[in-house]
Amino acid sequence: EREASASALFSLFFKNTKKSSKLLGPSSTAPKGVYLHGGVGCGKTFCMDLFYDSIPTDSAITSQKVHFHKFMLDVHKQMHEAKMIEGIKGDVIPRVVQKTVQGGKVLCFDEFQVTDVADALILQRLFTGLFDAGVVTVITSNRPPEDLYLNGIQRDRFLPFIDLLKEKLNVVSMEDSEIDYRLIQGETKAWGTYFIGEDSKVSFDEVFVSLTKGAEDVMPTTLRTQGRSVSVPQSSSRYNIARFSFNDLCRKPLGAADYLAIGETYNTVFIEDVPKLSMNDVNVVRRFIVFVDAMYECHVKLVIHAEAAPGELFQVDLENQFMDEAFAFDRTRSRLDEMGSKEYLRRRWSGSSQSSS
């Protein structure tokens, strides 16, 4: 049934699959992409996955699907390599566009969000190059295009990118959906993934001992990623399990690349002493949001000991309710609920062991 629905969705998007190789030629013949936005858990990612799975594997169409955090990390890495390794002088964006196109001309982005000024200032040139090369883009986001990078630094320079998105993509709203399907999944909880309060700390510790089987190899280690080091206080290389405190992960200067390195190395991550959060610690909140996104992207089994339930972890003042972090944490809350469901826990981990020392 899913396969039939996927095939129908692909046919609707491309209209005529027999001409698909021509449609993905120059920008003048490429079809418009899709910008799908709506509240958390309304089914945006499901729709994008359905479309992505519908792309015929035996056709001339090449495709790639990536979380937007990871994509932008790769973009900055490629820009650095183009300058320092390839010795390109001047604008390196065309080189990044070329490499991106080689990965696939149908490009699916999940969780499109712009909060970093460095990203904001290069997106127009980057996407103009992709569109000119005939790339078809499908995007999911919690926000409509006009609300991207709201209140950001030098936002006036970002506005032409919003116009570009509206020109090149069909904007589809799912805002009318009031159901958080991930929360519904989360009602079927698996035992032992989220522990609340001091009384549950012993149970949290028991789960860690049980999963590592009291292994003698549980010890500190260090992961290496993009020239950076990430300290892991407790690591079991035998069972690919790591344990951190909240302060280890969110009160130190870690970023998306560091969290992805953790998610790609460990199939199960324990995090303890997660406090209630407020906008007084906005950088801490941002790190926790990115951390959960990275674990979710890698299908990591996340075991948490926290001061409160996911829906009570982050309280936003009324005057701050429209800030990016409020929108993003709503997604985090929903994902934490889903990550405790039996369906999520049955998913296959998408990481692979990385080097550590």
Side-chain angles (χ1 to χ4, degrees), residues 82 98 141 145 168 189 218 281:
Q98 182 185 33
S141 179
K168 296 294 185 180
K189 288 284 185 181
V218 175
D281 281 322

Side-chain angles (χ1 to χ4, degrees), residues 71-335:
F71 175 75
M72 291 309 300
L73 285 170
D74 288 342
V75 165
H76 288 294
K77 180 180 177 182
Q78 289 174 25
M79 291 174 65
H80 177 76
E81 290 176 347
K83 293 177 181 177
M84 305 306 296
I85 299 177
E86 299 181 43
I88 297 177
K89 306 296 183 183
D91 189 7
V92 296
I93 292 294
R95 179 59 173 153
V96 175
V97 169
Q98 182 185 33
K99 286 190 174 183
T100 302
V101 171
Q102 289 172 356
K105 296 197 73 173
V106 175
L107 184 54
C108 296
F109 288 121
D110 196 22
E111 302 294 356
F112 192 93
Q113 183 182 6
V114 185
T115 57
D116 185 87
V117 64
D119 293 346
L121 296 180
I122 65 171
L123 282 173
Q124 184 184 7
R125 287 186 296 130
L126 177 62
F127 273 72
T128 295
L130 292 173
F131 291 140
D132 287 347
V135 170
V136 175
T137 305
V138 178
I139 292 173
T140 71
S141 179
N142 286 347
R143 292 193 154 194
E146 56 269 19
D147 286 352
L148 288 171
Y149 197 50
L150 203 60
N151 302 320
I153 299 171
Q154 301 183 53
R155 190 172 188 262
D156 57 317
R157 297 178 59 185
F158 180 77
L159 295 178
F161 174 64
I162 294 176
D163 295 334
L164 180 68
L165 288 179
K166 290 181 176 180
E167 175 190 348
K168 296 294 185 180
L169 306 179
N170 293 302
V171 178
V172 180
S173 173
M174 296 180 71
E175 297 288 353
D176 290 339
S177 175
E178 298 179 352
I179 300 174
D180 185 338
Y181 292 99
R182 294 182 296 190
L183 189 59
I184 292 174
Q185 288 185 72
E187 291 175 357
T188 309
K189 288 284 185 181
W191 177 83
T193 59
Y194 199 99
F195 299 84
I196 301 172
E198 284 302 316
D199 292 343
S200 68
K201 190 64 178 290
V202 172
S203 298
F204 175 83
D205 292 336
E206 288 175 349
V207 173
F208 180 76
V209 172
S210 175
L211 292 183
T212 57
K213 304 188 186 305
E216 296 180 357
D217 74 329
V218 175
M219 61 185 66
T221 190
T222 302
L223 305 180
R224 311 291 181 187
T225 173
Q226 298 185 14
R228 291 165 55 87
S229 298
V230 181
S231 297
V232 184
Q234 296 186 63
S235 167
S236 171
S237 58
R238 181 183 304 177
Y239 297 107
N240 279 1
I241 294 174
R243 180 168 174 170
F244 300 85
S245 71
F246 178 83
N247 289 347
D248 291 329
L249 291 170
C250 301
R251 295 193 187 278
K252 294 181 179 179
L254 302 181
D258 304 310
Y259 298 139
L260 284 169
I262 293 170
E264 290 169 354
T265 304
Y266 300 102
N267 58 40
T268 304
V269 172
F270 285 69
I271 174 173
E272 56 191 314
D273 301 326
V274 179
K276 288 185 177 180
L277 302 167
S278 72
M279 288 307 299
N280 292 330
D281 281 322
V282 63
N283 289 328
V284 173
V285 171
R286 287 170 179 164
R287 291 190 193 109
F288 187 61
I289 290 169
V290 175
F291 167 74
V292 173
D293 280 348
M295 298 304 102
Y296 184 88
E297 179 72 11
C298 294
H299 298 169
V300 167
K301 310 303 184 288
L302 192 59
V303 184
I304 294 177
H305 174 261
E307 184 180 356
E312 301 171 357
L313 275 181
F314 181 49
Q315 301 298 323
V316 183
D317 295 334
L318 290 177
E319 61 267 24
N320 292 325
Q321 64 179 333
F322 298 110
M323 294 184 66
D324 286 335
E325 288 72 21
F327 280 91
F329 202 90
D330 197 26
R331 180 182 75 243
T332 300
R333 183 271 310 162
S334 180
R335 285 191 162 176

